[in-house]
Amino acid sequence: MNSRPAPFDELDRQIVTALMANARSSFAEIGTAVGLSATAVKRRVDRLRESGVITGFSAQVKPSALGWRTEAYVEVYCEGAAPPRRLAEVVRNHPEIAAAMTVTGGADALLHVRATDVQHFEEVLERIRAEPFIRKTISYLVLSHLLPESPEAGASQPAPEDAAELRGPG
């Protein structure tokens, strides 16, 4: 990895934006959109990966299609000052936790939890509360998503109609 950050220009921003919208776009498709050749786009993507700007490519999956139909946000309150690294260790042990962050305000952390049903959510909550430094939790079950296209809602790109559209970058 290069010790100096590589310059990030408008073309890089357009390429990253295109990949965020559809990581399966080919370099040729992106090149057409931003006015570069496929080879030039590939060089830029490689540089953006090497510099750590692009950290990976992933599929967005609709959680309910996998049976994860219950969703909640959980405020976590700790005894004393729980270091973020300790909280991170705990949340990694629970595959139901989709996202976790330390926050300002009364709570020490906020967890985004997905479960198959309310009973499963209750089991997850019991496991979280069993941690010795967790003082209390406050949960908010999600009833509906006001922005259904957001990543938090588990929005996914529509399936391509043509198998030719299924090729990846390059």
Side-chain angles (χ1 to χ4, degrees):
M1 185 177 275
N2 201 346
S3 61
R4 246 181 344 139
F8 189 83
D9 63 16
E10 179 60 22
L11 284 172
D12 291 334
R13 188 193 64 72
Q14 290 177 20
I15 290 168
V16 168
T17 300
L19 287 171
M20 288 172 59
N22 182 0
R24 295 185 62 97
S25 297
S26 71
F27 293 138
E29 291 168 330
I30 295 170
T32 299
V34 302
L36 293 174
S37 69
T39 305
V41 171
K42 182 187 182 318
R43 277 195 304 268
R44 283 177 176 258
V45 169
D46 289 346
R47 180 178 46 78
L48 291 166
R49 290 183 73 189
E50 287 173 17
S51 66
V53 172
I54 295 175
T55 58
F57 300 89
S58 63
Q60 293 177 339
V61 178
K62 187 174 180 181
S64 63
L66 300 175
W68 299 85
R69 300 186 188 285
T70 300
E71 180 177 13
Y73 287 88
V74 179
E75 292 179 352
V76 176
Y77 296 80
C78 301
E79 290 293 343
R85 73 181 187 300
R86 178 67 180 115
L87 286 166
E89 290 171 12
V90 169
V91 299
R92 283 189 188 100
N93 292 328
H94 302 284
E96 298 89 350
I97 298 176
M101 58 285 303
T102 56
V103 294
T104 62
D108 294 293
L110 182 65
L111 311 178
H112 182 190
V113 178
R114 293 188 187 275
T116 55
D117 54 28
V118 173
Q119 181 180 350
H120 180 202
F121 171 70
E122 188 173 23
E123 292 166 7
V124 173
L125 201 53
E126 287 173 13
R127 283 188 274 135
I128 292 167
R129 288 177 177 160
E131 294 295 334
F133 63 90
I134 304 292
R135 182 172 47 91
K136 76 173 185 174
T137 61
I138 299 177
S139 303
Y140 303 91
L141 284 173
V142 174
L143 300 177
S144 63
H145 285 273
L146 301 176
L147 299 173
E149 67 281 357
S150 72
E152 290 78 16
S156 61
Q157 298 293 327
E161 295 177 22
D162 185 325
E165 293 180 37
L166 293 176
R167 64 188 172 280

